[in-house]
Amino acid sequence: MITIISGTNRADSMTLRTANLYYKLISEHTPDVKLLSLENKKVWEKGEEMKAIEQEYLIPADKLLLIMPEYNASFPGILKVMMDNCDIRKSWWHKKAALVGLSDGRAGNLRGLEHMTSILHYMKVNVLYDKLLLSKINEEMDKSGTLLKPATEQLIKDQITHFLKF
């Protein structure tokens, strides 16, 4: 199973729009895909909701696709808190992951993806070499989640192809 994680809890985010696009495109290849949005989720404590998230989205996944906006040259703290409240052996060890970074600026969250790569390696996760940096996301996607540039759509499709073979 593949779990796509929209790595922010911010409402009406470009991150969730991007995650929905990935969900749609991956679903064309396999029905075994789920989307986890952190919006309105209580992941800051190891309570019943966090345990349910682990059981439904993280533990059964073979592959994880993390879509992360840039927050202060890294990624959102809510994503790290969610990771810290998991049983890392069951939820993360020996799985495969792909990373997508988003930013309004020009670097597409490069620093955040490198930061996450180090964390994932520590947690024994194999990270796909094909990391996608989506810079100036507001020029790449409209408010309805439609991509505006065919070249960007092709990059996303190529990354998905690599991820499915990974």
Side-chain angles (χ1 to χ4, degrees):
M1 181 182 93
I2 297 170
T3 295
I4 300 167
I5 301 172
S6 175
T8 183
N9 58 348
R10 197 171 277 175
D12 195 35
S13 69
M14 293 301 273
T15 305
L16 184 54
R17 288 184 191 111
T18 303
N20 280 316
L21 174 65
Y22 269 84
Y23 179 83
K24 176 182 167 259
L25 293 172
I26 291 173
S27 294
E28 292 173 3
H29 299 278
T30 178
D32 203 13
V33 60
K34 291 187 177 188
L35 172 59
L36 171 59
S37 169
L38 298 181
E39 191 176 332
N40 299 315
K41 299 285 192 292
K42 290 172 130 179
V43 297
W44 53 85
E45 60 185 30
K46 184 80 177 191
E48 291 306 313
E49 187 171 1
M50 184 61 223
K51 289 177 186 176
I53 289 169
E54 256 186 315
Q55 291 299 317
E56 182 177 351
Y57 295 99
L58 302 175
I59 293 171
D62 309 288
K63 296 180 180 181
L64 302 155
L65 190 138
L66 287 80
I67 300 177
M68 301 173 295
E70 181 176 2
Y71 281 26
N72 301 314
S74 190
F75 54 85
I78 195 74
L79 179 58
K80 181 68 166 76
V81 166
M82 189 244 346
M83 295 168 78
D84 290 343
N85 280 317
C86 291
D87 179 330
I88 65 167
R89 287 183 174 101
K90 291 179 182 174
S91 298
W92 298 93
W93 275 21
H94 308 294
K95 296 191 179 188
K96 296 177 179 179
L99 305 178
V100 178
L102 307 176
S103 72
D104 284 337
R106 60 184 183 164
N109 196 15
L110 175 63
R111 287 185 184 106
L113 294 191
E114 293 307 313
H115 185 193
M116 179 58 76
T117 298
S118 295
I119 293 166
L120 291 173
H121 284 167
Y122 175 81
M123 295 193 313
K124 302 181 184 194
V125 175
N126 295 308
V127 179
L128 181 67
Y129 62 90
D130 189 1
K131 299 172 189 168
L132 192 55
L133 306 171
L134 297 174
S135 304
K136 299 184 180 182
I137 191 62
N138 293 317
E139 296 173 19
E140 297 285 346
M141 180 180 283
D142 67 18
K143 293 287 183 183
S144 71
T146 302
L147 287 173
L148 303 173
K149 298 179 181 176
T152 303
E153 183 174 2
Q154 189 59 52
L155 287 171
I156 291 170
K157 287 180 177 180
D158 290 347
Q159 185 192 35
I160 288 170
T161 298
H162 297 151
F163 186 49
L164 292 172
K165 291 178 182 177
F166 183 48

